[in-house]
Amino acid sequence: MVRRRLRCGLPFAASAVFLSACIPSGYLAHRDLHYVDEVLVESPPGPPVAYESYMRARIALERDPPDFDLARGHVEDALHWQPNEPALWTLKGEIELRAGEAEAARVALERALSLSPSYPEALALLDELDGGGEAQL
């Protein structure tokens, strides 16, 4: 049997106690601090699998031409892990808007705004959807 090892040399199945030896000092205590619009905020980080799915959805959407089906699949995966994350619902709304599915876009953006009523990206896309111009994202 081949055992995989982490970069710090511990077996892949190492417990969290041993795994913390691989992480820089202080990281775990402060990983929920980050900047949003130049303001330091505290919020718990989401699962890495959700972030990976988000990034894959964003990449599929940015292709030329965009792969809307692939983007939808990835954002749905991310929402499975973080169903209350307004950024994911906003991305879902952006995908649907760019795919020409106005009603699906509206539902997703309204869900984002129900979670965070002043979420700027969702507000901008909803304004675009309502004919207020192009969203500046």
Side-chain angles (χ1 to χ4, degrees):
M1 177 171 111
V2 176
R3 286 191 167 187
R4 292 174 54 191
R5 295 196 170 269
L6 297 174
R7 289 184 191 167
C8 66
L10 295 173
F12 186 73
S15 71
V17 174
F18 294 114
L19 188 58
S20 65
C22 299
I23 299 172
S25 176
Y27 173 75
L28 291 177
H30 302 289
R31 72 186 194 121
D32 53 350
L33 296 174
H34 56 276
Y35 286 92
V36 175
D37 295 329
E38 299 180 16
V39 176
L40 185 63
V41 297
E42 181 177 12
S43 62
V49 68
Y51 182 71
E52 178 185 355
S53 295
Y54 167 83
M55 292 305 298
R56 288 180 184 274
R58 175 61 58 198
I59 290 167
L61 186 61
E62 298 303 324
R63 286 184 177 171
D64 188 18
D67 188 335
F68 298 119
D69 291 333
L70 186 59
R72 284 182 184 113
H74 286 305
V75 80
E76 289 296 329
D77 288 345
L79 283 166
H80 168 79
W81 293 100
Q82 285 189 288
N84 295 322
E85 175 53 57
L88 296 176
W89 286 103
T90 302
L91 177 57
K92 183 172 175 57
E94 182 181 355
I95 293 165
E96 298 301 347
L97 181 62
R98 290 184 55 190
E101 300 293 334
E103 191 53 40
R106 182 174 306 283
V107 168
L109 294 170
E110 287 175 353
R111 175 73 171 130
L113 292 171
S114 75
L115 295 167
S116 180
S118 60
Y119 197 71
E121 291 84 1
L123 289 170
L125 286 170
L126 196 57
D127 185 51
E128 179 182 345
L129 184 62
D130 290 335
E134 283 211 18
Q136 299 296 315
L137 299 179

